[in-house]
DNA sequence: GAGCACTGC
């Protein structure tokens, strides 16, 4: 209790409670560490505000939901799972007594699918809203519908008592949240953060964003900081695993050199510990970050963006910020996911700098110039505007939200992103050509999978091969299972090991390899050891195992029409598995080109692509004809990853569907619905002209961009001439 | 002949 009352939020207890009491919606803002996440739910509970139902608090991450629930139950002196509980995937720690429930945003979204009015909650708190995760953004719009008119749209009034909604966020961009909820009040809690001084390592003259030599600059700034500055750990933000590993090597070498030349470096700092930090790092190695450094040892943590939000590193006084991040975006024009290195946003830069001021005043060194900073976007583009939306759109359709274009988004995605999602859903027969959800769509939405994988799984049940397909689908939905070490010797060893696993799968398809890995690991006496010996990520495999269990439960509840005839039953298991894969992934079909090396995709884009070198079928192109793939990635070339040969006979009846309906026609169904529909005679003419006008718009946009580029280049040429 | 940031159901 003593530590609790010291939190900045304690002073505002009464004011906060009455604010919540008086308002339908409220935005609460305060820096990390002010105690809002742990204290506010307790205040509300103790004030009796949660009597009509639970107080639900969403978090973007599992770890946060679990650990916060632990802390709060301890503070309240109750056992976890009673008054205070949590729910994350695979782990429901709640009971009928639970009054305060911490959960992931994804979990609440799932719950909303079964209970459109969230009838078991009296208050919903959307925490960490500034992070703008896809699920939280969707929850913004969905919960708003539950609020009484005129705030909500009045479409859902079935709740016997109105829901209260609280949005919690760091201090940035809070006004927008309030505006979204009809200018609801904003409650600000002062935080406890130390000042961080900002230093730009470049001037405009010395900084060239096109030059990627910033790694050597990183090394120099880190070593300078180490040599010249007082105690405190150094946190370096880079973009990816490889970059981090090579930077750690570099730093290690130059630290050795300096050690040799100077003997003792800095009065208070006797040595260095150089620690890499990124998501796929084994958990034990990540744990080293949580341990405080030994006295006199300075830690240099070289990290991806994971240290900006997900992992808290204590003791950091110096932050070195590269200014870049790796970010995944979906390109609706090509249908490709692109993982690219892009400049961070201003708010991301602030977030990184803030990591230096958690325990003492700190310093942030930005490896760019002031004007580069000025040119950055204010905020990162929210995930909902970057991600593929097919799952979210299907969720909407199943919740009875018929018009997904007019839905109230905090930041609406581009219409072509929505159109692309509708098209995908139509391909899978999850919606019909009028944009209405089909019975298959209602089944697909039950699974925590990408829609195409749900379809694979459902087909496998009707072909009676789900025991083999379940692990495959699970393995496809976890992060990459193959470990690729950076050292040469180990890299060779890992390749040998992976070759053997491909052999074990029969060498026929990459999906078969995944199944073989799953089976072999399960059969081995010591899974962890087996994984280490075979260069397979144990963590991913464990997750896949849990997913298999979860999917099996859901699949058992589904009624699947058995189209399994005598003939099908007589077919070998491998055939049936491939047929299931083909049925779900047919929009990812590709055909061998006449050059007998490359493939052309059948998704309408007719992209030229190659089988990825890591595939078991790499080098066997000549013997193939039709394949389906799980992923298409644009790296050195356009590659198809995880592929499987299929028969033309399996795809030929499915493929026409890829050309049956136009994405914008589906969008039109959405728009028509918002007008009240029924304008039948316009059906023929409307969509075409709409499509044309959209194409025109697109063209105009492209032209404008091209002109901008041209002008920019001309200006740069001019400026450089002027300089010389 | 490659190279995957981070979450979540």
């Amino acid at each position: 209790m003593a530590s609790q009352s010291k939190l900045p939020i304690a002073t505002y207890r009464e004011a906060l409670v009455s604010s919540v009491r008086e308002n339908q919606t409220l935005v609460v803002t305060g820096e990390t560490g002010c105690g809002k996440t742990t204290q506010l739910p307790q205040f509300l509970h103790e004030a009796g505000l949660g009597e009509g139902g639970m107080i639900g608090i969403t978090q973007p991450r599992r770890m946060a939901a679990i650990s916060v629930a632990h802390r709060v139950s301890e503070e309240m002196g109750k056992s976890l799972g009673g008054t205070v509980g949590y729910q994350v995937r695979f782990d429901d720690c709640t009971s009928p007594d639970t009054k305060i429930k911490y959960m992931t945003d994804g979990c609440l979204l799932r719950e909303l699918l079964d209970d459109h009015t969230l009838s078991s909650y009296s208050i919903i708190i959307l925490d960490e809203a500034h992070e703008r995760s896809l699920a939280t953004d969707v929850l913004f719009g969905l919960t708003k519908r539950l609020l009484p008119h005129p705030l909500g749209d009045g479409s859902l009034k079935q709740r016997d008592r109105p829901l209260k909604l609280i949005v919690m966020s760091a201090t940035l961009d809070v006004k927008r949240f309030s505006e979204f909820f009809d200018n609801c009040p904003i409650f600000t809690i002062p935080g406890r953060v130390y000042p961080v001084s900002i230093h730009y390592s470049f001037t405009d003259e010395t900084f060239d964003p096109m030059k990627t030599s910033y790694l050597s600059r990183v090394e120099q700034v880190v070593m300078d900081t180490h040599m010249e500055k007082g105690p405190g750990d150094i946190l370096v933000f880079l973009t990816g695993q490889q970059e981090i590993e090579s930077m750690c090597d570099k730093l290690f070498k130059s630290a050795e050199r300096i050690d040799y030349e100077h003997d003792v470096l800095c009065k208070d700092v006797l040595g260095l510990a150089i620690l890499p930090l990124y998501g796929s790092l084994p958990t034990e190695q990540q744990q080293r970050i949580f341990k405080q450094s030994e006295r006199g040892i300075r830690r240099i943590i070289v990290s991806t963006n994971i240290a900006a939000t997900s992992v808290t590193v204590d003791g950091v006084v110096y932050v070195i910020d590269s200014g870049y991040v790796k970010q995944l975006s979906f390109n609706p024009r090509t249908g490709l996911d692109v993982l690219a290195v892009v400049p961070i946003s201003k708010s991301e830069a602030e977030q990184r700098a803030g990591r230096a001021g958690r325990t003492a005043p700190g310093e942030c060194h930005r490896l760019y110039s002031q004007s580069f900073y000025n040119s950055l976007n204010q905020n990162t583009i929210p995930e909902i505007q970057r991600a593929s939306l097919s799952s979210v759109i299907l969720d909407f359709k199943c919740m009875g939200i018929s018009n997904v274009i007019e839905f109230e988004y905090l930041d609406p995605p581009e219409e072509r992103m929505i159109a692309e999602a509708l098209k995908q859903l139509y391909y899978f027969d999850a919606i019909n050509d009028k944009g209405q959800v089909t019975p298959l769509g209602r089944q697909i939405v039950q699974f925590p999978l990408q829609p195409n994988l749900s379809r694979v799984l459902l087909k496998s049940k009707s072909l009676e091969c789900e025991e083999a397909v379940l692990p495959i689908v699970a393995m496809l939905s976890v992060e990459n299972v193959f470990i690729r070490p950076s050292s040469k010797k180990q890299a060779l060893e890992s390749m040998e090991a992976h070759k053997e696993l491909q052999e074990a799968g029969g060498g026929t398809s990459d999906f078969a390899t995944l199944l073989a890995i799953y089976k072999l690991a399960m059969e081995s006496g010591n899974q962890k050891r087996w994984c280490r010996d075979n260069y397979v990520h144990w963590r991913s495999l464990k997750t896949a195992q849990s997913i298999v269990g979860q999917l099996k439960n859901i699949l058992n509840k589904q009624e699947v029409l058995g189209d399994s005839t005598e003939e099908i039953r007589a077919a070998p298991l491998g055939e049936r598995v491939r047929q299931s894969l083909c049925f779900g992934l047919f929009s990812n079909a590709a055909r061998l080109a006449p050059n007998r090396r490359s493939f052309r995709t059948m998704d309408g884009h007719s992209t030229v692509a190659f089988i990825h070198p890591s595939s078991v079928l790499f080098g066997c192109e000549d013997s193939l004809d039709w394949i389906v793939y799980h992923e298409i990635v644009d790296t050195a070339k356009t590659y198809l990853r995880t592929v499987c040969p299929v028969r033309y006979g399996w795809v030929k009846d499915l493929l026409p569907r890829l050309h049956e309906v136009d994405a914008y026609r589906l969008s039109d169904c959405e728009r028509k619905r918002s007008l009240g529909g029924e304008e039948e005679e316009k059906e023929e003419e409307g969509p075409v002209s709409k499509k044309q006008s959209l194409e025109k718009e697109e063209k105009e946009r492209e032209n404008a961009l091209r002109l901008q580029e041209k002008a920019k280049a001309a200006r740069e040429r001019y400026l450089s001439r002027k300089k010389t």
Side-chain angles (χ1 to χ4, degrees):
Chain A
M1 263 332 242
S3 64
Q4 240 179 304
S5 57
K6 270 187 216 145
L7 284 167
I9 196 174
T11 352
Y12 301 91
R13 182 178 182 133
E14 294 312 317
L16 259 171
V17 168
S18 57
S19 266
V20 174
R21 211 188 287 278
E22 286 156 23
N23 294 287
Q24 196 68 52
T25 49
L26 182 68
V27 173
V28 176
T29 158
E31 298 296 342
T32 11
C34 75
K36 57 187 190 303
T37 304
T38 54
Q39 304 307 305
L40 183 59
Q42 293 185 58
F43 294 169
L44 302 180
H45 169 69
E46 280 157 20
L49 274 160
E51 260 156 31
M54 283 187 285
I55 300 170
I57 309 100
T58 66
Q59 295 289 323
R61 282 171 296 280
R62 297 164 53 93
M63 274 280 283
I66 298 170
S67 62
V68 170
H70 267 101
R71 234 185 24 248
V72 172
S73 70
E74 241 167 65
E75 276 179 17
M76 292 177 71
K78 314 251 178 173
S79 63
L80 191 60
T83 311
V84 184
Y86 69 86
Q87 188 185 355
V88 297
R89 189 184 189 180
F90 308 131
D91 193 0
D92 183 355
C93 188
T94 60
S95 65
D97 299 332
T98 300
K99 298 282 185 283
I100 299 175
K101 176 172 164 184
Y102 289 91
M103 65 192 125
T104 50
D105 47 12
C107 258
L108 187 63
L109 203 53
R110 282 270 123 190
E111 222 175 296
L112 212 50
L113 275 172
D114 295 326
D115 177 6
H116 299 345
T117 65
L118 292 177
S119 54
S120 51
Y121 298 90
S122 60
I123 302 176
I124 291 290
I125 303 177
L126 303 177
D127 199 4
E128 310 286 6
H130 60 278
E131 286 190 28
R132 304 296 305 275
S133 74
L134 181 57
T136 297
D137 255 29
V138 169
L139 285 169
F140 261 100
L142 289 173
T143 46
K144 184 172 181 181
R145 288 159 51 88
L146 299 179
L147 302 172
H149 218 61
L151 218 54
D153 63 1
S155 59
L156 287 165
K157 294 180 194 155
Q158 303 96 312
R159 287 182 60 97
D160 10 320
R161 76 171 68 197
L163 183 75
K164 274 194 190 289
L165 189 65
I166 301 168
V167 175
M168 293 209 289
S169 160
T171 34
L172 282 149
D173 211 24
V174 178
K175 193 97 196 351
R176 298 218 39 228
F177 298 141
S178 153
E179 279 162 7
F180 185 74
F181 291 110
D182 207 26
N183 292 312
C184 73
I186 299 171
F187 199 110
T188 306
I189 303 158
R192 274 194 311 202
V193 280
Y194 296 90
V196 175
S197 60
I198 306 286
H199 309 267
Y200 293 93
S201 308
F202 288 88
T203 64
D204 288 348
E205 279 70 39
T206 57
F207 180 62
D208 178 1
M210 290 305 138
K211 271 208 181 119
T212 44
S213 68
Y214 81 99
L215 281 190
S216 58
R217 185 74 188 179
V218 175
E219 187 187 356
Q220 198 192 326
V221 174
V222 172
M223 292 320 289
D224 287 354
T225 308
H226 175 52
M227 298 286 284
E228 293 159 15
K229 305 282 179 167
D233 295 338
I234 302 172
L235 174 60
V236 188
F237 283 103
L238 299 184
T239 63
Q241 173 175 349
Q242 257 192 338
E243 208 175 80
I244 286 165
E245 293 289 0
S246 80
M247 178 56 60
C248 286
D249 281 350
K250 275 188 181 192
L251 288 174
F252 190 73
K253 285 200 184 102
S254 64
E256 268 185 335
R257 205 168 50 235
I258 291 167
D259 231 3
Y260 177 74
E261 285 166 9
H262 295 261
D263 206 24
V264 171
L265 315 169
C266 184
K267 259 186 287 179
D268 300 289
V269 178
L270 297 173
L272 272 183
I274 298 161
L275 304 169
L277 175 62
Y278 47 83
S280 62
L281 204 65
T283 325
E284 302 92 76
Q285 264 172 282
Q286 279 192 24
Q287 292 300 322
R288 288 169 63 194
I289 306 293
F290 296 118
K291 275 197 248 148
Q292 283 282 358
S293 56
E294 288 168 54
R295 180 154 168 64
I297 304 275
R298 192 204 293 279
R299 299 187 306 163
I300 300 179
I301 296 125
V302 188
S303 173
T304 60
N305 226 21
I306 194 172
T309 48
S310 315
V311 175
T312 308
V313 189
D314 285 319
V316 173
V317 175
Y318 309 98
V319 161
I320 317 261
D321 175 14
S322 66
Y324 289 92
V325 67
K326 244 180 216 176
Q327 195 173 262
L328 188 76
S329 312
F330 178 75
N331 183 339
R333 203 168 50 76
T334 56
L336 292 189
D337 272 338
V338 209
L339 189 68
V341 174
V342 296
I344 57 173
S345 63
K346 282 183 185 141
S347 57
E348 227 168 333
E350 303 311 325
Q351 173 99 23
R352 287 181 174 186
R355 293 275 138 173
R358 293 181 58 85
T359 42
E363 287 177 25
C364 174
H365 295 268
R366 292 180 171 161
L367 298 169
Y368 39 90
S369 64
Q370 169 87 57
S371 63
F372 178 79
Y373 173 82
N374 293 341
S375 75
L376 297 176
N377 291 330
Q378 182 57 48
N379 293 301
T380 306
I381 297 171
E383 204 184 348
I384 199 166
Q385 292 182 332
R386 295 197 322 257
S388 156
L389 296 174
S390 46
S391 290
V392 167
I393 299 292
L394 185 59
D395 287 349
F396 284 168
K397 295 279 178 186
C398 288
M399 287 177 203
I401 297 166
S402 52
N403 189 308
V404 296
I405 290 175
E406 308 279 312
F407 181 77
E408 267 201 83
Y409 300 94
L410 184 57
D411 280 311
E414 275 183 61
E415 188 173 323
R416 55 179 180 161
M417 296 284 260
I418 297 175
E420 180 67 23
L422 288 165
K423 199 176 75 184
Q424 290 287 330
L425 291 172
Y426 176 76
Y427 289 171
F428 306 139
D429 193 23
I431 60 173
N432 63 21
D433 61 351
K434 295 191 179 56
Q436 297 153 332
V437 64
T438 63
L440 181 61
R442 293 206 181 275
Q443 284 191 312
I444 286 175
V445 86
Q446 304 292 317
F447 296 93
L449 292 170
Q450 303 161 9
N452 54 358
L453 293 182
S454 305
R455 200 172 127 109
V456 168
L457 195 54
L458 285 161
K459 184 68 175 178
S460 77
K461 191 174 179 184
S462 72
L463 293 180
E464 295 172 28
C465 57
E466 68 268 29
E467 287 302 323
V469 169
L470 273 163
I472 293 175
V473 166
M475 295 283 273
L476 290 174
S477 53
V478 298
E479 60 181 324
N480 192 7
V481 290
F482 298 100
I483 295 177
R484 256 323 147 80
S486 50
S487 87
K488 251 198 192 117
K489 181 171 162 277
Q490 284 191 311
L492 278 173
E493 269 179 34
S494 75
M495 277 162 73
E496 283 303 312
H498 295 161
K499 272 248 160 58
E500 261 181 53
L501 295 173
Q502 290 178 339
E503 289 291 315
T508 50
S509 90
D510 297 312
F511 300 94
T513 310
L514 290 176
L515 178 60
I517 291 172
Y518 186 86
K519 274 183 164 166
L520 287 171
M522 291 306 133
E523 286 160 10
S524 74
N526 185 338
Q527 282 179 25
K528 207 167 179 178
R529 171 130 186 223
W530 185 92
C531 285
R532 204 178 48 222
D533 293 347
N534 290 282
Y535 290 90
V536 165
H537 275 293
W538 184 65
R539 213 173 28 183
S540 310
L541 209 92
K542 294 304 283 178
T543 313
Q545 204 179 349
S546 310
I547 294 176
V548 167
Q550 189 188 22
L551 295 180
K552 206 179 266 182
N553 278 336
I554 301 170
L555 192 61
N556 284 338
K557 288 179 201 148
Q558 306 298 317
E559 256 187 62
V560 175
L561 291 177
D563 57 356
S564 121
T565 60
E566 276 306 319
E567 193 193 344
I568 285 164
R569 267 194 291 274
L573 179 67
E575 286 279 283
R576 283 179 280 150
V577 169
R578 282 191 289 146
Q579 221 172 326
S580 310
L581 288 164
C582 185
F583 187 76
L585 299 175
F586 75 97
S587 62
N588 293 355
R591 186 179 193 186
L592 190 66
N595 65 19
R596 307 205 67 77
R597 280 202 60 234
S598 63
F599 288 80
R600 274 201 184 269
T601 62
M602 292 291 129
D603 56 0
H605 300 299
S606 197
T607 311
V608 176
F610 297 84
I611 290 185
H612 195 273
S614 66
S615 167
V616 66
L617 293 172
F618 177 75
C620 313
E621 290 82 356
D622 197 32
S623 64
L624 299 167
D625 188 11
W626 287 86
I627 57 170
V628 294
Y629 56 89
H630 175 237
E631 260 185 325
I632 178 164
V633 289
D634 214 355
T635 50
K637 287 191 207 168
T638 305
Y639 285 111
L640 308 174
R641 283 167 51 165
T642 324
V643 300
C644 167
V646 294
R647 292 201 200 143
Y648 177 60
W650 297 343
V651 276
K652 82 169 190 306
D653 297 332
L654 299 165
L655 290 177
R657 196 165 181 90
L658 301 181
H659 309 287
E660 257 174 36
V661 77
D662 170 53
Y664 289 109
R665 218 191 105 195
L666 287 167
S667 311
D668 257 10
C669 294
E670 306 295 309
R671 233 174 274 101
K672 213 168 280 163
R673 217 169 272 131
S674 71
L675 296 171
E678 336 250 9
E679 286 164 86
E680 290 299 327
E681 64 274 21
K682 281 193 183 168
E683 184 108 355
E684 290 310 310
E685 173 227 5
V688 178
S689 62
K690 187 68 206 174
K691 188 193 165 194
Q692 280 170 345
S693 82
L694 277 165
E695 270 173 356
K696 205 175 145 206
E697 255 175 53
E698 170 83 354
K699 213 166 227 160
E700 280 168 0
R701 242 201 313 266
E702 273 172 17
N703 279 338
L705 273 175
R706 210 169 299 131
L707 274 175
Q708 264 175 26
E709 295 285 332
K710 219 172 151 185
K712 202 177 147 200
R715 226 180 96 234
E716 271 161 15
R717 277 200 302 275
Y718 167 75
L719 284 172
S720 71
R721 265 206 308 277
K722 209 172 146 193
K723 238 177 233 168
T724 53

